[in-house]
């Protein structure tokens, strides 16, 4: 599985385990992800996948490196997706400016 596929799977797992917020984002603690049996079977390197998702601005959390036990209560936020109309408008605006 490549990084992009792992990030997509991570998004699914955060939605499954997390709580939806009023803004459309999802929140879950690192400990919940780390200790979940399904996540343990999917992700060989959960921390690496989280870092890749954070670099791509798909998730957000405090700190750089999450460690089991020490950071179990750190909240990971899956950022809400832009509505399709907003994304289309942005693409049209960007194209028109260029």
């Amino acid at each position: 599985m490549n990084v992009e596929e792992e990030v997509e799977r991570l998004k699914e797992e955060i939605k499954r385990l997390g709580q939806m917020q009023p803004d459309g984002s999802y929140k879950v603690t690192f400990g919940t992800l780390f200790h979940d049996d399904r996540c343990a079977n999917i992700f060989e390197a959960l921390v690496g996948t989280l870092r890749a998702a954070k670099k791509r601005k798909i998730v957000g959390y405090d700190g750089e490196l999450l460690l089991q036990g020490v950071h179990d209560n750190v909240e990971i936020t899956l950022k809400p997706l832009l509505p399709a109309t907003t994304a289309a408008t942005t693409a049209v605006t960007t194209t028109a400016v260029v």
Side-chain angles (χ1 to χ4, degrees):
M1 186 170 9
N2 68 34
V3 175
E4 298 303 325
E5 290 172 340
E6 283 199 15
V7 169
E8 287 302 314
R9 297 284 295 272
L10 177 64
K11 288 164 57 175
E12 293 171 14
E13 294 306 309
I14 292 173
K15 287 179 182 178
R16 179 177 67 88
L17 295 168
Q19 297 293 317
M20 186 174 190
Q21 304 300 303
D23 66 356
S25 66
Y26 285 82
K27 288 191 178 189
V28 65
T29 64
F30 176 66
T32 299
L33 279 175
F34 191 88
H35 295 292
D36 181 72
D37 289 337
R38 186 167 157 183
C39 286
N41 290 328
I42 293 171
F43 304 108
E44 290 183 32
L46 176 60
V47 173
T49 304
L50 283 166
R51 289 185 74 190
K54 185 176 182 181
K55 183 178 178 182
R56 289 164 175 77
K57 301 188 186 320
I58 294 168
V59 301
Y61 55 87
D62 291 335
E64 291 297 316
L65 180 65
L66 298 175
L67 301 172
Q68 186 266 327
V70 178
H71 298 112
D72 280 358
N73 293 324
V74 171
E75 281 192 337
I76 298 166
T77 303
L78 173 62
K79 297 179 180 181
L81 297 175
L82 292 174
T85 55
T86 304
T89 304
T90 303
V92 170
T93 304
T94 304
T95 304
V97 172
V98 174

